[in-house]
Amino acid sequence: MDTFLGIDYNIWWFLVFGGVISGYAILDGFDLGAGALHLFLKKEQSRRIALNAIGPVWDGNEVWLVIGGGALFAGFPVAYAAIFSAFYVPFMIFLVGIIWRAVAIEFRSKEPMGWWRKTWDIVYSFASIVIALSLGLMLGNVAYGIPLNAEKEFDGNWLSFFNPFSILVAITTLALFMMHGAIYLTMKTENRLFAKLHILANNFIIFFVLSFVITTLYTLLYIPHLSDFFRENPLGFIIPLLMVLTIANIPRQIKKGKYRYAFISSSVTIALLLIMVALEVFPFLLYSTSDPQNSITIANAASSPKTMKILLIIALIGTPLVAIYTSFVFYTFKGKVKLDEMSY
């Protein structure tokens, strides 16, 4: 078996894919959250400031999703084909949300009429909520598993995606993004809008914690196989322990007025949640609920060892470049938002 630094290439690519998806969830998570809470801001100037807070970065954040899709296609083509065909309906809903959200952001400032801007405000917020819920619904179904036949093709109907566990994961994802987005906006605003977002951030922390606790209890009671990894590897409990500490640190930092540290804790929480999901499903990429023998794993879905080796070299060069570019953009647009004639 070909390895790099003693680790199988398939595992390396699983880690790369997981890292890219985590980067996407952290970066696009806050601008989706900002969109989801947009209608809580009542004044026109507040909404413009919130839009311009994500304006320079929201489309760049979505690049990480494209990279994630490319990583899945190149490294695990069997999984790519199965996932994109099985999740056809949720992906279409997700893509429609992406399109309408982009249109709303670009069109809103083109006309001054109040009804025009309020209409696009509703579209922007509703699309952001739909995208967050779609991502959570797909994540929940990947963790829970879907029916696959012997040809590793989806053997169910789209209504089966709306099971209680996946719905709870979807709501938790929305709550997490709204908390993440509210904290980000507190770093970009000041005065009365800042005070409003401070209150919203605390409310969304409560929303997230309640959603997270309910989803965790449901998982332990009704889907015990998702806890197998932690029962068999007691050291793995360090991940949920770290997550509890980072979640607890968020309101602590907000109370101290250190919003940047609260945002870092929120980002780490997202990464740890995805690491937990990865540990629970590994080595499966898509678990078959009808027959585990039909599941798609990192072994039976992988490209050839030579391809994986080349892909790993490309990832080692390309991923840092994208990370540097993203960091440069955030550094360029750091600080509080100021409106001018070029603003949305």
Side-chain angles (χ1 to χ4, degrees):
M1 183 176 292
D2 293 309
T3 63
F4 177 66
L5 297 177
I7 300 175
D8 181 20
Y9 281 129
N10 295 355
I11 296 177
W12 270 114
W13 202 245
F14 182 76
L15 294 173
V16 169
F17 175 68
V20 170
I21 293 301
S22 297
Y24 167 73
I26 291 170
L27 293 173
D28 212 25
F30 74 73
D31 64 57
L32 287 172
L37 65 82
H38 190 68
L39 295 181
F40 285 91
L41 309 177
K42 301 301 181 184
K43 296 181 178 178
E44 164 68 9
Q45 187 179 28
S46 298
R47 292 181 175 183
R48 286 191 67 203
I49 291 173
L51 270 173
N52 283 278
I54 66 156
V57 297
W58 70 270
D59 48 356
N61 293 340
E62 292 178 353
V63 169
W64 288 85
L65 181 63
V66 178
I67 296 173
L72 185 65
F73 172 74
F76 303 110
V78 175
Y80 178 89
I83 290 173
F84 276 78
S85 59
F87 290 91
Y88 184 79
V89 172
F91 265 121
M92 285 300 105
I93 295 172
F94 171 76
L95 289 176
V96 169
I98 288 277
I99 293 168
W100 277 104
R101 181 167 175 267
V103 171
I105 292 173
E106 297 298 334
F107 276 35
R108 184 187 186 280
S109 60
K110 302 303 180 189
E111 298 290 346
M113 298 87 76
W115 65 267
W116 172 272
R117 297 194 169 191
K118 287 178 182 175
T119 300
W120 289 115
D121 283 337
I122 294 171
V123 173
Y124 167 59
S125 188
F126 183 71
S128 299
I129 292 170
V130 167
I131 294 168
L133 290 174
S134 301
L135 287 170
L137 193 71
M138 288 187 278
L139 178 65
N141 278 285
V142 168
Y144 180 70
I146 61 173
L148 295 172
N149 61 25
E151 285 72 40
K152 306 195 184 309
E153 295 173 346
F154 180 52
D155 194 23
N157 62 70
W158 66 275
L159 287 175
S160 61
F161 294 128
F162 295 90
N163 54 76
F165 173 71
S166 297
I167 291 173
L168 284 173
V169 174
I171 294 172
T172 303
T173 302
L174 174 63
L176 176 59
F177 285 176
M178 292 179 83
M179 176 188 73
H180 198 44
I183 296 171
Y184 176 78
L185 290 178
T186 58
M187 297 191 301
K188 306 295 290 183
T189 55
E190 50 195 351
N191 303 325
R192 295 184 67 178
L193 178 56
F194 164 80
K196 169 87 173 179
L197 288 163
H198 176 93
I199 296 171
L200 287 176
N202 283 319
N203 290 338
F204 291 136
I205 289 171
I206 296 171
F207 178 29
F208 166 65
V209 171
L210 286 175
S211 304
F212 176 71
V213 170
I214 293 171
T215 303
T216 301
L217 290 176
Y218 185 90
T219 305
L220 294 173
L221 290 174
Y222 297 105
I223 316 178
H225 77 269
L226 285 179
S227 308
D228 286 349
F229 172 83
F230 296 102
R231 279 195 291 270
E232 295 167 3
N233 303 276
L235 282 177
F237 275 103
I238 194 171
I239 301 297
L241 177 62
L242 283 173
M243 191 165 61
V244 170
L245 292 175
T246 55
I247 292 173
N249 192 47
I250 296 170
R252 177 172 169 268
Q253 296 298 341
I254 288 179
K255 187 176 181 181
K256 294 166 68 176
K258 297 181 177 179
Y259 298 94
R260 181 174 298 179
Y261 292 125
F263 183 74
I264 292 172
S265 292
S266 178
S267 301
V268 174
T269 299
I270 294 174
L272 290 173
L273 274 170
L274 290 173
I275 289 172
M276 276 186 59
V277 173
L279 292 174
E280 288 166 347
V281 303
F282 184 84
F284 298 103
L285 290 169
L286 202 54
Y287 181 77
S288 173
T289 54
S290 54
D291 183 353
Q293 296 296 322
N294 298 336
S295 300
I296 297 173
T297 69
I298 63 168
N300 64 24
S303 299
S304 68
K306 185 177 181 180
T307 301
M308 298 296 270
K309 184 177 181 179
I310 294 171
L311 290 173
L312 188 58
I313 294 172
I314 294 172
L316 289 173
I317 298 172
T319 305
L321 290 176
V322 177
I324 291 170
Y325 168 76
T326 303
S327 301
F328 175 75
V329 172
F330 276 83
Y331 178 78
T332 302
F333 294 98
K334 66 179 180 180
K336 305 291 184 182
V337 175
K338 303 293 182 185
L339 296 180
D340 57 35
E341 66 276 7
M342 299 300 291
S343 302
Y344 286 110

